[in-house]
Each structure stands twice: as structure tokens, then as C-alpha cells.
């Protein structure tokens, strides 16, 4: 049977505390004859040496003679148990001391053997159990250490208290030195004093559970979970036992989870507020843009026209900036979305100069633009973002310059058949930036402060500018000398728009509406709101003489139309009865013939963050137009997607 | 060019009508009609606790109110839109609906005046 016991790898070291050499030899012989295998026996002959040996090493079992030169009788066992309660002690008693042996087992010894009465199988059996017990206790200790769970028990009638080593370790106490007895628990300063209170509760309820926040000896805080279970014997005496677990890590994780949830909730609320504010700010901006669009065709004088056109250009940029400021959280999460449209770079630069020139003139500054010869005029990129960068940097240059001037310059760094890499630089002769502030000027809410001047602005401009440039693969740098001025420069890559593309596509720059007014195409409007239906139809028909407009009120009607005929572009309201815009788009993309499935579909929505919704791209919407809509934006997007479709087909 | 009265602002409607009196008239007619029928319909849906349908009606009303230019009505309608979704707040909806109804009477009067002006 013994041979089948698992070998846990514990060393079979046995401590023999015996002062009679002949008996020591007898035990050695018996062990050699047993099937215990390799046993290493250490013999000491006094209590003091025995305690010393246990302090220095671990033993699977202790064979203890109770009568030693420096200690006799039961006291010998008590001394060992007090110091090393977890060790397996097999007491060796005299032939007539059977009662003493039984008493020893009751007090905590593993077993007893009567000298002269036991043979080697009995000795082996007792040691085998002892070693096994040692193995189990060792594994229990390991398990408790890993799980940070200790156990304890307490008997009131005997004022007995025991706690496993892990209980002490949880409190950062030495398990050997700090052994508590029941009386210690009554001291309110004792970390386990809480068990006294829990025992009272457990008497009433059977079980008591608590979580406590404690400050341990080294001053750190820990969270512990305590359980106390009460049982009552037939004599009415209570016995309590329970576990104590260090749950600090779980608590910290829980706190972090709560903090994360709170942060997510706050972010959600923030987004909602931003969405609402965005709506409020966008409405008057749209009115300014709308009125300017109406005013523009009525202006006859060239100078007045330029003024109104500047208002329009600046309003567009301002609207873009408002959007970006409101989307600052998106910037922080690198969620900027860039469009990719063809535009005329020279026109953009000239428009910028014209819009900013009045500011420069107010301060009597020279204000010049330098473009390289041979610059490819038509490039593909995000015009609004480029404008945003330039308006910010040029605006800053003018703001911080009181005399001299501002120069805006473009250099060609690299050009291939398809791509163009440009360096934009904005040089001013302004106040300059101290070296100590050069790093921080690109951080959010940072403004250059001077005692002698009031600085306008939110402190977001350069931070947003830097993000926009970096997310397009570029880099912004600054060279500055205090009192002499600064140069901000950045490099960006653009795709070149082929000449054929520009000649054939109905893309319109600025107010050259005539270029595309003869465009002939068909559009399907899917919109349930009658007023919107009328307005979109009328707006399109007024802008394009040869447009064929088909109006439907829901997704089913739209699909019915598309089953009979194809169209060049679809304007899709998203929220409709019967079949909403997402479902309709999904159906068109997946279930209709290729020619129809590939039709550009523009969502018409009031949600300005629609493109960030996962289902926007999942269902295959190409772009969106915000409601209430800006006609120019609608025209521009329709023209862009028609041109793209034409290119694809070509 | 546009009416600036106490309760309506027809800038957006004018912009969309694009100086076309016929379109302007049609838009005004539709606006009046939507307001006259839409609000009682929303009240009925509220009484019947048909939250999804109420949300859809408020969504439709959102587009209508863009043409009226009454910001208080737009705000009240937005509140209904928000509170009639998955997590309804009937008290808040009732409050906003009542506000919409109160404001609509003045808006309707001014819209009718604007209609008369167009017809002349």
C-alpha cells in the first residue's frame, strides 16, 4: 500500500531527538530495513539542539523522546509545539507511558510509539503517514500563499486560537514570531480583533461575512474578506472557524473598472453635450453661409463681390474649425476623417491670401505669397483641412507680428507621375517664441503669453494643426528667434489629379458654376419628409438644367424604382418608415445587379458624426450630406461622386 | 426678404425656396399642414405609450421644425426625440410636448399671416 503513495518530492529528512545512542542506532537500523527508501536522519540529544535544528532546516517528521537532559515529560512536547506547531512530531514514550502518548496526540503530536514495543513496519507506517501529512500541509500552505487565503479556528471554551501562516503574512507579520493566542484577539489594537465581533454575529446567524479595509504594519492599505462560521457541540460550546482573504488586487481592479466605467460614462455624456452644442452652433453658421450664398449672385460690383466671397470663404473655414473644436475628443483618439477631393492649389492659396489680407493691411504688414514655377495646379487631398492648417498658421503669424510682414511660400520637395510632396512655410517678423516654449506650443490649451500683449484664441489651434498634419503623414516644425520672428513649416504629400480627370469631370471650383450647369444625370431621392423632398428636388433642378429627379418616400419604393431603371446617384434619408436608409442601402448593395449596386449613395442626415458609426461604412454608404443641408455642399458632393463614378467606369 | 417675427424665422425656408414664390407657398402650406396634424398625432402616440412611433414622429417633426426656425420648438422636439427612445421619460416627454403645443399656436398664427402675404 505504501508503495502506491504518491511521491511529492518532499525530502525524507527525519529529526531524531534522542539522547540514548543505542536507541538512536536501533531506529537507524529499523529505517534501513523499511521500504521508506532514502531517509536522512539527523540526531540531536537535547531540546535546545532540537529547536536549533528545526530553525535551520525543514524536516518531514520529528521522532521525539520526551525525556531529554534539558527537558522532561510533556513539557518537552509543548515546547516543540509552541515553536513549531506545523511540524509532525511522533512521540517516543516508555513502555509504561501509554497514557502520556495519548495525551501527546491529543495535544497536537502526530502519533506516539512505545519504546521497545514497536517494530520497523510500525515505525515505517508512522513515518509514512507523517511524511504524507507533511506533504499535504506543504501543498496547503502553497495554495494559501498563492490564493492569499488563510484559515483560522477558535474554541471559546478552551480559549484556543489557531491561524495558518498565510493569515499572518496577509497582515505583513512573521508567522513564527507573531503567533496570536485567543487573549491577543481581545485587544482592540490586534488586527484580528474583528473576529471577536464576527463571532458574536455568527452565534446568531450561523455565519458572518465582512470586508474590511485595513492599514498593515508597513503603512500600506489592504482590503480583506473575512468569513466566520459558528458550530455548537452537544455541550453547548461554540467552535468557530473561517477564512481570511487578501482581496486588495480584486478591489483595486474593481476600483479601476469603476473608474473606467465612470470615465466612459462621462465621455458619453460629453459626446452628447458636444453633439447638442454642435447642433446649436452649426445652425447660425449655416444661416451665415446660406445668406452669403444667396447674396453672392446678387452682388454686381467687383469689390463688393470680393468682400462677400471672403465672408463665404472665411465662414466655411470657421464652420470647419467649429466642427474640429467640437471634435477635439476625436482628435485625441486619432479619429480624424479626411476627404480626398480634387482641388486647385493656386486658387486655395489665393483665396487664403485674399481672406487674410485685410487683417494684414490693418497692421500695415507686407503680405506675400510665393508659388514655385511649374507647380501642378490640380491636386487631390482634403482642401478643408489644408485651409484649416493654413488659416491657423497665417492667422497666428499676423496676430503676433506688429511690423515687417508675413510671407507664405510653397516649395516642391518631390514630384513623381502620381504624387507631389510640398513644403508650406509661413514666415513672420513677429515677436518670436522663446526656446523654453518651443516644445509646448503644440500642446492643447497652450498660448504664448507676453506681458505687453493680450493673446486671443483658444490655445487649441496649433495642437489641432499638428494633429491634422501628422495624421496625413506630415510633420510640422518651427524655427524661431525671440524678437526677430518665426518660421512654421510643414510637408505634405498630395496625389496629382490627372488633366483628363479634371477636364471631363463636372467638378466646380469657387463660383464657376457654369462649368457644371449643363451636366446631365439622374438622381433618386429617398426621403419621407414632403418638405425635404420638395426642397431637394427643386434645389437640384434649379442648379442643373438637365437633371432627372425621381422622388420616393421610403426604401421599398426606391427599390421598386431601381428594379425598373438605373440612376446615376442616390440621396438617401436614413430614418424612414417601412425600410430605413441603412437597410435600403444594404439591400441595393447586396441584392441588386452590379450596375445598380455600385451607384453612389449619399446619406442625408442630421447626425454630424454619422460617418463614425460602424454601420455607415458597413452598409456601404459613400458619403453624407448634413441636414438642414447646405446646397453648395450638396452640389459639390454630387459632382465629386459623379466624377468618381465616371472615372471608375472609364 | 424674410420674416423676422416673434416666433418664426423663415430664413432657411426662404433659402430653400430660392426666391421662387410658388415653392415658398408650397413649403408654407406643408409646414402648416405638418404642424397641424403632426402635433396632435404625437400627443395621441404619447397617450397610447407608443414610444417607438412617437420617436419616429418626433424625427419627422425635426425636419419640419427646421423650416419654422423656432428654436424653442426645435429644442422641445429634440427632448422628445431623446426621451422616447429605449429609455423613456414620460414626465419629460409630457413637459416638452405641452411646450410644443403651446408654442405652436403662436407659430401657426404667424405662418398663416406669412401665407396671406404670399397670396397677395
Amino acid at each position: 500500500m505504501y508503495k502506491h503513495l504518491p511521491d511529492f518530492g518532499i525530502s525524507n529528512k527525519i529529526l531524531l531527538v534522542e539522547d540514548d545512542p543505542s536507541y538512536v542506532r536501533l531506529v537507524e537500523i529499523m529505517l534501513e530495513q523499511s521500504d521508506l527508501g532514502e531517509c536522512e536522519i539527523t540526531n540531536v540529544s537535547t531540546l535546545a539542539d532540537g529547536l536549533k535544528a528545526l530553525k535551520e532546516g525543514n524536516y518531514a517528521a520529528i521522532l521525539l523522546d520526551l525525556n531529554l537532559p534539558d527537558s522532561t515529560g510533556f513539557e518537552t512536547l509543548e515546547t516543540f509545539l509552541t515553536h513549531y506547531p506545523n511540524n509532525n512530531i511522533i512521540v517516543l514514550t516508555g513502555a509504561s507511558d501509554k497514557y502520556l502518548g495519548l495525551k501527546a496526540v491529543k495535544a497536537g503530536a502526530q502519533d506516539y510509539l512505545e519504546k521497545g514495543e514497536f517494530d520497523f513496519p510500525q515505525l515505517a507506517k508512522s513515518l509514512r503517514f507523517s511524511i504524507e501529512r507533511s506533504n499535504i500541509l506543504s501543498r496547503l500552505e502553497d495554495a494559501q500563499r498563492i490564493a492569499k487565503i488563510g484559515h483560522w479556528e477558535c474554541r471559546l471554551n478552551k480559549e484556543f486560537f489557531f491561524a495558518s501562516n498565510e493569515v499572518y503574512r496577509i497582515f505583513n507579520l512573521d508567522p513564527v514570531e507573531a503567533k496570536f493566542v485567543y487573549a491577543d484577539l481581545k485587544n482592540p489594537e490586534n488586527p484580528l480583533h474583528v473576529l471577536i465581533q464576527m463571532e458574536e454575529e455568527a452565534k446568531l446567524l450561523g455565519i458572518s461575512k465582512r470586508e474590511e479595509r485595513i492599514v498593515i504594519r508597513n503603512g500600506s492599505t489592504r482590503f480583506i474578506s473575512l468569513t466566520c462560521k459558528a458550530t455548537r457541540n452537544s455541550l453547548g460550546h461554540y467552535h468557530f472557524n473561517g477564512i481570511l482573504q487578501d482581496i486588495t488586487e480584486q478591489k483595486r481592479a474593481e476600483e479601476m473598472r469603476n473608474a473606467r466605467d465612470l470615465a466612459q460614462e462621462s465621455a458619453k455624456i460629453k459626446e452628447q453635450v458636444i453633439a447638442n452644442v454642435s447642433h446649436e452652433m452649426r445652425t447660425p453658421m449655416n444661416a451665415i453661409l446660406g445668406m452669403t450664398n444667396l447674396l453672392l449672385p446678387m452682388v454686381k460690383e467687383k469689390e463688393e463681390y470680393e468682400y462677400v466671397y471672403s465672408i463665404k470663404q472665411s465662414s466655411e473655414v470657421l464652420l470647419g474649425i467649429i466642427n474640429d473644436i467640437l471634435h477635439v475628443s476625436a482628435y485625441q483618439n486619432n479619429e480624424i476623417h479626411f476627404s480626398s477631393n480634387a482641388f486647385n492649389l493656386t486658387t486655395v492659396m489665393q483665396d487664403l491670401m485674399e481672406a487674410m489680407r485685410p487683417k494684414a493691411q490693418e497692421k500695415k504688414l507686407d503680405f506675400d505669397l510665393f508659388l514655385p514655377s511649374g507647380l501642378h495646379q490640380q491636386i487631390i487631398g482634403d482642401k478643408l483641412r489644408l485651409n484649416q492648417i493654413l488659416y491657423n498658421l497665417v492667422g497666428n503669424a499676423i496676430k503676433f507680428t506688429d511690423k515687417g510682414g508675413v510671407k507664405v511660400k510653397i516649395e516642391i520637395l518631390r514630384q513623381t507621375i502620381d504624387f507631389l510632396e510640398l513644403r508650406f512655410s509661413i514666415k513672420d517678423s513677429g515677436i518670436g517664441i522663446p526656446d523654453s516654449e518651443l516644445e509646448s506650443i503644440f500642446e492643447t490649451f497652450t498660448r504664448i503669453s507676453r506681458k505687453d500683449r493680450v493673446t486671443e484664441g483658444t490655445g487649441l489651434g496649433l495642437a489641432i494643426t499638428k494633429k491634422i498634419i501628422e495624421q496625413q503623414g506630415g510633420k510640422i516644425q518651427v524655427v524661431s528667434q525671440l524678437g526677430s520672428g518665426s518660421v512654421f513649416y510643414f510637408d505634405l504629400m498630395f496625389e496629382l489629379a490627372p488633366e483628363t480627370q479634371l477636364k471631363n469631370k463636372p467638378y466646380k471650383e469657387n463660383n464657376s458654376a457654369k462649368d457644371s450647369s449643363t451636366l446631365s444625370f439622374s438622381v433618386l431621392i429617398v426621403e419621407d419628409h414632403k418638405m425635404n423632398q420638395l426642397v431637394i428636388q427643386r434645389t437640384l433642378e434649379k442648379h442643373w438644367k438637365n437633371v432627372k429627379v425621381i422622388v420616393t418616400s421610403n426604401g421599398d419604393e426606391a427599390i421598386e424604382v431601381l428594379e425598373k431603371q438605373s440612376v446615376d446617384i442616390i440621396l438617401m434619408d436614413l430614418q424612414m418608415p417601412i425600410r430605413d436608409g441603412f437597410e435600403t442601402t444594404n439591400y441595393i448593395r447586396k441584392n441588386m445587379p452590379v450596375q445598380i449596386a455600385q451607384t453612389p449613395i449619399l446619406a442625408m442626415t442630421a447626425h454630424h458624426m454619422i460617418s463614425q458609426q460602424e454601420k455607415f461604412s458597413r452598409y456601404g454608404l459613400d458619403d453624407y450630406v448634413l441636414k438642414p443641408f447646405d446646397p453648395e455642399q450638396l452640389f459639390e458632393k454630387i459632382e465629386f461622386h459623379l466624377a468618381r463614378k465616371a472615372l471608375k467606369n472609364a | 426678404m424674410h420674416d423676422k417675427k416673434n416666433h418664426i424665422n423663415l430664413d432657411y425656408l426662404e433659402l430653400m425656396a430660392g426666391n421662387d414664390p410658388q415653392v415658398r407657398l408650397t413649403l408654407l402650406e406643408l409646414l402648416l399642414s405638418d404642424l397641424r396634424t403632426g402635433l396632435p398625432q404625437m400627443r395621441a402616440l404619447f397617450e397610447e405609450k407608443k414610444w417607438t412611433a412617437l420617436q419616429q414622429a418626433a424625427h419627422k417633426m425635426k425636419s419640419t421644425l427646421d423650416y419654422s426656425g423656432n428654436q424653442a420648438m426645435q429644442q422641445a422636439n429634440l427632448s422628445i426625440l431623446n426621451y422616447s427612445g429605449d429609455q423613456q421619460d414620460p414626465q419629460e416627454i409630457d413637459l416638452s410636448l405641452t411646450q410644443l403645443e403651446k408654442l405652436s399656436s403662436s407659430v401657426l398664427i404667424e405662418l398663416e399671416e406669412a401665407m396671406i402675404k404670399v397670396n397677395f
Side-chain angles (χ1 to χ4, degrees):
Chain A
M1 167 188 170
Y2 303 138
K3 285 178 184 172
H4 300 294
L5 285 171
D7 176 10
F8 289 107
I10 292 277
S11 70
N12 291 351
K13 279 173 71 179
I14 292 164
L15 179 65
L16 176 58
V17 190
E18 173 61 74
D19 61 334
D20 183 343
S22 60
Y23 211 80
V24 170
R25 183 62 197 140
L26 177 66
V27 169
E28 284 173 352
I29 291 165
M30 282 183 172
L31 286 176
E32 279 168 15
Q33 291 173 357
S34 76
D35 61 350
L36 277 174
E38 292 290 321
C39 274
E40 185 188 331
I41 298 172
T42 303
N43 172 231
V44 293
S45 55
T46 64
L47 172 71
D49 285 346
L51 294 174
K52 192 180 167 199
L54 286 172
K55 196 175 179 184
E56 289 166 357
N58 288 320
Y59 292 90
I62 302 159
L63 288 169
L64 177 64
D65 178 13
L66 291 183
N67 293 315
L68 299 169
D70 54 349
S71 176
T72 56
F74 198 70
E75 196 182 314
T76 309
L77 174 68
E78 280 182 324
T79 308
F80 268 95
L81 285 174
T82 305
H83 288 88
Y84 300 99
N86 292 331
N87 279 70
N88 301 317
I89 301 174
I90 300 166
V91 170
L92 301 171
T93 66
S96 56
D97 284 338
K98 198 169 187 171
Y99 170 73
L100 191 61
L102 289 169
K103 191 181 170 191
V105 169
K106 216 170 176 182
Q110 164 76 25
D111 201 354
Y112 75 96
L113 293 169
E114 288 179 54
K115 282 182 179 177
E117 294 296 317
F118 66 88
D119 52 15
F120 70 84
Q122 278 179 304
L123 175 63
K125 179 186 170 187
S126 189
L127 283 172
R128 173 68 73 176
F129 276 128
S130 186
I131 291 165
E132 199 58 37
R133 181 174 180 259
S134 179
N135 267 328
I136 292 165
L137 286 176
S138 173
R139 293 295 181 271
L140 178 65
E141 174 106 9
D142 282 351
Q144 290 203 349
R145 195 192 288 263
I146 292 164
K148 294 186 179 175
I149 297 176
H151 73 277
W152 59 272
E153 61 180 281
C154 175
R155 290 190 194 100
L156 284 189
N157 60 322
K158 293 182 180 173
E159 296 226 322
F160 166 81
F161 175 77
F162 167 79
S164 67
N165 289 343
E166 191 54 27
V167 170
Y168 294 97
R169 279 193 288 266
I170 286 170
F171 289 101
N172 201 30
L173 298 168
D174 185 329
V176 177
E177 287 176 4
K179 290 289 177 198
F180 295 139
V181 296
Y182 187 74
D184 294 332
L185 268 55
K186 293 177 182 169
N187 178 359
E189 299 295 316
N190 189 289
L192 292 175
H193 178 68
V194 65
L195 293 179
I196 301 284
Q197 298 162 5
M198 291 180 73
E199 282 173 0
E200 292 306 314
E201 203 174 292
K203 276 183 188 174
L204 296 170
L205 305 170
I207 194 162
S208 168
K209 290 183 179 180
R210 280 192 192 187
E211 281 184 11
E212 295 278 331
R213 181 179 176 277
I214 55 162
V215 179
I216 60 170
R217 214 168 44 164
N218 66 4
S220 64
T221 303
R222 283 189 185 175
F223 292 93
I224 55 169
S225 159
L226 301 112
T227 305
C228 170
K229 189 181 168 192
T231 47
R232 200 176 180 188
N233 66 15
S234 56
L235 297 171
H237 296 139
Y238 277 102
H239 173 215
F240 302 97
N241 69 318
I243 58 167
L244 190 148
Q245 183 177 14
D246 183 347
I247 54 167
T248 309
E249 283 174 19
Q250 291 96 310
K251 277 281 175 190
R252 299 263 189 268
E254 194 180 315
E255 281 173 2
M256 285 171 79
R257 268 199 304 276
N258 289 341
R260 185 200 61 197
D261 291 347
L262 188 66
Q264 284 175 343
E265 186 62 26
S266 302
K268 211 172 163 185
I269 293 168
K270 191 174 139 198
E271 274 176 21
Q272 188 60 48
V273 171
I274 284 171
N276 291 341
V277 172
S278 160
H279 186 266
E280 292 304 313
M281 291 178 82
R282 200 188 301 275
T283 305
M285 274 313 296
N286 277 329
I288 293 170
L289 268 172
M291 294 299 115
T292 314
N293 283 330
L294 282 177
L295 190 57
L296 213 48
M298 300 176 192
V299 179
K300 306 292 179 203
E301 294 296 323
K302 186 174 180 287
E303 194 181 347
E304 286 173 4
Y305 184 90
E306 281 169 5
Y307 292 156
V308 178
Y309 188 65
S310 280
I311 293 173
K312 180 179 178 288
Q313 290 286 306
S314 301
S315 301
E316 280 174 359
V317 172
L318 185 55
L319 187 60
I321 291 170
I322 287 170
N323 289 341
D324 283 346
I325 291 172
L326 297 173
H327 287 164
V328 76
S329 60
Y331 282 102
Q332 283 162 351
N333 295 321
N334 296 335
E335 291 171 354
I336 315 174
H337 296 272
F338 294 95
S339 65
S340 190
N341 299 333
F343 64 90
N344 185 308
L345 181 59
T346 305
T347 309
V348 166
M349 297 309 293
Q350 284 167 348
D351 286 347
L352 163 83
M353 297 303 284
E354 288 320 302
M356 302 304 275
R357 193 174 300 285
K359 277 189 179 181
Q361 281 173 344
E362 263 177 38
K363 299 177 87 173
K364 298 191 171 81
L365 298 176
D366 295 333
F367 189 51
D368 302 304
L369 170 68
F370 298 90
L371 296 177
S373 58
L375 176 67
H376 196 98
Q377 299 295 303
Q378 305 291 350
I379 57 175
I380 297 174
D382 193 325
K383 184 175 91 171
L384 186 69
R385 303 288 177 194
L386 178 64
N387 258 325
Q388 198 176 340
I389 297 166
L390 290 168
Y391 272 74
N392 190 279
L393 294 177
V394 175
N396 277 351
I398 296 172
K399 186 161 67 182
F400 291 106
T401 304
D402 296 329
K403 60 181 179 183
V406 174
K407 290 174 182 171
V408 183
K409 189 177 171 186
I410 295 182
E411 294 167 80
I412 300 170
L413 295 183
R414 230 160 18 118
Q415 184 166 349
T416 67
I417 298 170
D418 302 319
F419 288 94
L420 179 66
E421 187 175 10
L422 298 175
R423 169 162 294 175
F424 297 79
S425 56
I426 295 94
K427 184 179 180 184
D428 67 61
S429 55
I431 58 171
I433 306 161
D435 290 345
S436 59
E437 291 181 34
L438 278 175
E439 287 289 318
S440 60
I441 53 168
F442 293 109
E443 290 169 12
T444 47
F445 301 109
T446 300
R447 292 189 298 178
I448 299 166
S449 54
R450 294 285 174 278
K451 283 177 188 171
D452 56 343
R453 65 192 303 141
V454 178
T455 313
E456 295 170 359
T458 59
L460 283 170
L462 281 178
I464 290 173
T465 299
K466 183 171 182 272
K467 277 279 179 193
I468 298 171
I469 293 169
E470 286 176 353
Q471 293 212 7
Q472 292 182 97
K475 190 179 180 187
I476 185 167
Q477 296 183 75
V478 57
V479 178
S480 187
Q481 194 169 359
L482 199 58
S484 299
S486 310
V487 185
F488 282 82
Y489 61 97
F490 61 95
D491 305 338
L492 281 180
M493 289 270 267
F494 296 92
E495 204 179 331
L496 293 176
E499 290 301 315
T500 48
Q501 177 185 344
L502 290 156
K503 276 175 189 166
N504 294 338
K505 85 180 197 64
Y507 197 84
K508 168 177 75 74
E509 283 295 336
N510 303 326
N511 57 338
S512 55
K514 286 172 191 169
D515 294 347
S516 65
S517 60
T518 53
L519 193 66
S520 174
F521 66 99
S522 57
V523 57
L524 173 64
I525 297 169
V526 193
E527 165 68 75
D528 68 319
H529 196 274
K530 296 286 175 213
M531 295 175 79
N532 286 343
Q533 282 178 0
L534 174 68
V535 162
I536 298 166
Q537 180 175 9
R538 189 233 151 241
T539 304
L540 297 178
E541 286 172 347
K542 195 177 175 193
H543 190 71
W544 287 292
K545 290 180 181 68
N546 300 322
V547 65
K548 181 186 173 192
V549 180
I550 305 158
V551 179
T552 56
S553 297
N554 58 59
D556 280 357
E557 279 182 25
I559 289 165
E560 209 174 303
V561 167
L562 290 171
E563 277 166 353
K564 291 173 192 159
Q565 65 183 101
S566 61
V567 294
D568 293 309
I569 196 161
I570 300 168
L571 300 178
M572 181 77 71
D573 181 25
L574 292 181
Q575 200 165 336
M576 291 178 295
I578 303 177
R579 195 195 283 263
D580 72 19
F582 287 118
E583 281 177 35
T584 310
T585 305
N586 195 34
Y587 183 89
I588 295 168
R589 296 288 188 230
K590 288 187 176 165
N591 301 312
M592 303 209 78
V594 180
Q595 190 197 354
I596 292 166
Q598 290 181 345
T599 309
I601 304 179
L602 275 59
M604 300 207 69
T605 175
H607 303 292
H608 71 277
M609 290 169 94
I610 188 74
S611 64
Q612 292 173 30
Q613 283 186 15
E614 181 262 339
K615 59 182 180 179
F616 180 84
S617 50
R618 179 155 58 90
Y619 286 129
L621 286 154
D622 290 288
D623 206 339
Y624 65 96
V625 176
L626 281 176
K627 285 198 290 190
F629 70 90
D630 166 15
E632 283 299 325
Q633 189 197 29
L634 178 67
F635 303 150
E636 198 166 305
K637 292 210 171 184
I638 287 176
E639 286 171 15
F640 172 73
H641 286 282
L642 288 176
R644 202 162 75 162
K645 188 185 172 196
L647 272 177
K648 271 187 193 171
N649 293 338
Chain B
M1 188 172 120
H2 59 77
D3 290 332
K4 280 240 187 270
K5 296 201 172 182
N6 289 333
H7 299 94
I8 59 173
N9 179 351
L10 300 181
D11 286 348
Y12 182 65
L13 188 142
E14 298 285 6
L15 175 68
M16 293 299 141
N19 291 329
D20 184 330
Q22 188 51 49
V23 176
R24 187 178 194 273
L25 183 62
T26 312
L27 284 175
L28 280 170
E29 279 171 357
L30 284 168
L31 178 56
L32 270 167
S33 161
D34 279 4
L35 288 175
R36 281 180 187 139
T37 58
L39 293 178
Q41 188 198 7
M42 283 169 72
R43 172 59 73 186
L45 291 169
F46 171 73
E47 300 297 343
E48 292 166 27
K49 295 186 172 51
K50 291 183 175 169
W51 305 119
T52 309
L54 176 61
Q55 197 178 34
Q56 283 166 356
H59 177 78
K60 197 172 174 186
M61 186 55 72
K62 189 167 180 281
S63 284
T64 303
L65 291 173
D66 284 340
Y67 293 92
S68 78
N70 186 302
Q71 291 189 0
M73 284 184 85
Q74 286 172 315
Q75 200 55 48
N77 186 62
L78 193 64
S79 170
I80 296 170
L81 197 60
N82 290 336
Y83 288 112
S84 57
D86 293 336
Q87 292 177 325
Q88 306 91 27
D89 185 340
Q91 205 176 351
E92 193 66 37
I93 296 172
D94 192 21
L95 208 66
S96 302
L97 202 49
T98 307
Q99 198 188 358
L100 261 185
E101 288 160 345
K102 275 185 188 168
L103 290 165
S104 72
S105 54
S106 312
V107 167
L108 286 169
I109 292 169
E110 287 181 22
L111 285 174
E112 279 159 5
E113 286 171 8
M115 281 270 289
I116 294 165
K117 213 169 145 188
V118 173
N119 285 326
F120 269 106

